[in-house]
């Protein structure tokens, strides 16, 4: 092989490598063919993502403190203020962002999720119908919780029944803040908001619990603080 042919082949090989890296690696798949990725919020927080049933889902609880337009979300600490403030707002479990927030995310009141500015651009908070669809493709309410929950007891309390994380969703038990301001159930349960309203006081949510393998659609007070997961097509 002369030197010109060698250089030509080398160039072709380099072009092929660049093409594969630039265009063939945008959606990573693991050995089981599950598509994974990442998304970044306005503050630079990076979240793992997973594709389930044709939709992309965050595989972590949201922890953003600004809307996508850069405006600060109202941060409420005190119990009395939390009980009385009925507008878009958030808190950290036990008011401790470092200890709890990094892993379990923030807790948001329902008015925050319907602003259309909470999730990263192109992403949204799911409706009750979209949560129900996710549950249905994971075997229904009786089995979906186990397939959603992170396996083991590093973050969930024992027995974390049925938890396999088969879906890759990695549900984490961020607890909740009741409408009176009381913090409850960290490491025991997680409840995620939907955008679907029932009436002036309540909206639909989805919950999973450490003692059961179920995932249940609930009716929740809009003034409570729950976790958020974002999704997109």
């Amino acid at each position: 092989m002369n030197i010109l042919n060698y250089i030509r082949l080398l160039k072709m090989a380099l072009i092929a490598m660049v093409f594969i890296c630039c265009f063939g690696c945008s959606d990573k798949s693991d050995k089981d063919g599950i598509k994974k990725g990442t998304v970044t919020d306005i503050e630079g927080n990076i979240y793992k993502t997973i594709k389930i049933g044709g939709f992309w889902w965050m595989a972590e609880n949201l922890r953003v403190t600004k809307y996508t337009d850069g405006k600060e979300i109202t941060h409420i600490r005190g119990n009395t203020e939390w009980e009385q403030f009925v507008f878009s707002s958030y808190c950290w479990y036990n008011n401790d962002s470092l200890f709890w927030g990094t892993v379990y995310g923030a807790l948001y009141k329902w008015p925050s999720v319907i602003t259309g500015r909470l999730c990263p651009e192109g992403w949204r908070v799911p409706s009750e119908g979209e949560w129900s669809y996710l549950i249905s493709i994971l075997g229904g309410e009786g089995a979906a919780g186990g397939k959603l929950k992170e396996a083991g007891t590093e973050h969930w309390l024992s027995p974390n029944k049925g938890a396999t994380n088969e879906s890759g969703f990695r549900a984490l038990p961020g607890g909740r803040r009741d409408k009176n301001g009381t913090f409850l159930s960290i490491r025991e349960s997680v409840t995620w908001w939907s955008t679907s309203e029932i009436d002036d006081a309540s909206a639909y949510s989805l919950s999973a619990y450490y003692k059961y393998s179920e995932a249940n659609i609930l009716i929740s007070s809009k003034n409570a603080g729950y976790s958020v997961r974002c999704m997109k097509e």
Side-chain angles (χ1 to χ4, degrees), residues 77-226:
R77 295 175 177 83
N79 288 0
T80 301
E81 186 182 7
W82 180 269
E83 185 173 13
Q84 295 176 351
F85 194 82
V86 296
F87 306 103
S88 177
S89 52
Y90 81 98
C91 68
W92 304 104
Y93 194 90
N94 274 350
N95 293 313
D96 191 335
S97 62
L98 293 179
F99 191 78
W100 298 113
T102 303
V103 173
Y104 298 101
L107 300 172
Y108 301 87
K109 290 197 176 190
W110 188 79
S112 305
V113 311
I114 58 164
T115 61
R117 296 177 290 137
L118 189 61
C119 294
E121 291 289 347
W123 293 71
R124 66 179 183 274
V125 179
S127 67
E128 183 273 334
E130 287 165 330
W131 279 126
S132 293
Y133 173 72
L134 179 64
I135 290 171
S136 70
I137 64 174
L138 295 178
E141 287 193 347
K147 295 177 182 179
L148 291 170
K149 291 189 296 180
E150 179 191 63
T153 54
E154 179 181 359
H155 299 116
W156 286 88
L157 292 184
S158 181
N160 195 15
K161 188 173 180 180
T164 64
N165 195 33
E166 179 181 322
S167 65
F169 189 83
R170 192 172 175 258
L172 293 171
R176 68 184 190 273
R177 191 173 192 179
D178 278 356
K179 60 183 180 180
N180 64 6
T182 303
F183 293 99
L184 296 165
S185 302
I186 192 74
R187 300 193 66 216
E188 292 183 358
S189 69
V190 59
T191 305
W192 300 283
W193 279 121
S194 83
T195 56
S196 300
E197 182 179 32
I198 298 170
D199 53 36
D200 289 343
S202 55
Y204 287 109
S205 61
L206 178 70
S207 183
Y209 191 54
Y210 80 109
K211 287 185 177 181
Y212 309 110
S213 58
E214 291 89 345
N216 301 113
I217 298 290
L218 303 178
I219 296 173
S220 299
S221 167
K222 292 179 180 178
N223 212 34
Y226 294 132

Side-chain angles (χ1 to χ4, degrees), residues 13 26 35-36 49 59 68 106 118 134 174-176 178 198 233:
S26 57
K35 287 189 175 182
K36 299 179 180 180
T49 61
T68 52
L118 189 61
L134 179 64
R176 68 184 190 273
D178 278 356
I198 298 170
E233 279 78 13

